[in-house]
Amino acid sequence: MLTTVFLKHTKGPKAPIEVLLFMQDAKSIDLKMNWPTSSRLEVTYKQPAVIDFQAIKCGGVDISVQDVSSAMPETGAVDLKNGTLSLQVPIPATQQKTTAPRSGSG
């Protein structure tokens, strides 16, 4: 099966542009889309899939994709009135990176 994500300009008669294409065995890959800003689209999916095509930028929009099938359980809230999804995903300490300030030598 295929799952395709398109972007369409909100103004003007421009045709939708394909930005992602997934191939999967399941009917759904539990795809979620989040717009943290008007120029950034974050796409996550939980079911096994292969990304067959991925645009990283389209019409001034940066596009990121993340497979969260093996991530830690997430907590979230959906606002059905305006269709927004708010997710909080804890990051295990083993995956966090911290950098100590460099001390001057000599």
Side-chain angles (χ1 to χ4, degrees):
M1 300 193 82
L2 298 174
T3 299
T4 308
V5 175
F6 293 91
L7 285 185
K8 184 174 187 319
H9 289 272
T10 56
K11 297 178 182 176
K14 295 184 181 180
I17 300 170
E18 180 180 328
V19 294
L20 289 168
L21 177 64
F22 296 89
M23 293 187 310
Q24 77 270 4
D25 293 330
K27 288 184 181 180
S28 171
I29 58 173
D30 202 9
L31 185 114
K32 305 280 187 229
M33 292 184 278
N34 182 37
W35 288 90
T37 68
S38 61
S39 62
R40 179 153 178 77
L41 172 61
E42 299 173 344
V43 179
T44 61
Y45 61 99
K46 290 185 182 179
Q47 300 302 319
V50 174
I51 299 173
D52 192 52
F53 173 76
Q54 176 184 355
I56 58 170
K57 191 164 192 154
C58 178
V61 175
D62 293 316
I63 304 161
S64 66
V65 181
Q66 183 178 9
D67 177 356
V68 294
S69 61
S70 60
M72 292 182 61
E74 60 189 33
T75 58
V78 178
D79 183 346
L80 297 178
K81 289 183 180 180
N82 64 19
T84 60
L85 173 66
S86 172
L87 298 174
Q88 295 178 355
V89 181
I91 300 173
T94 57
Q95 294 180 359
Q96 295 179 1
K97 292 184 179 181
T98 57
T99 304
R102 293 185 182 186
S103 60
S105 58

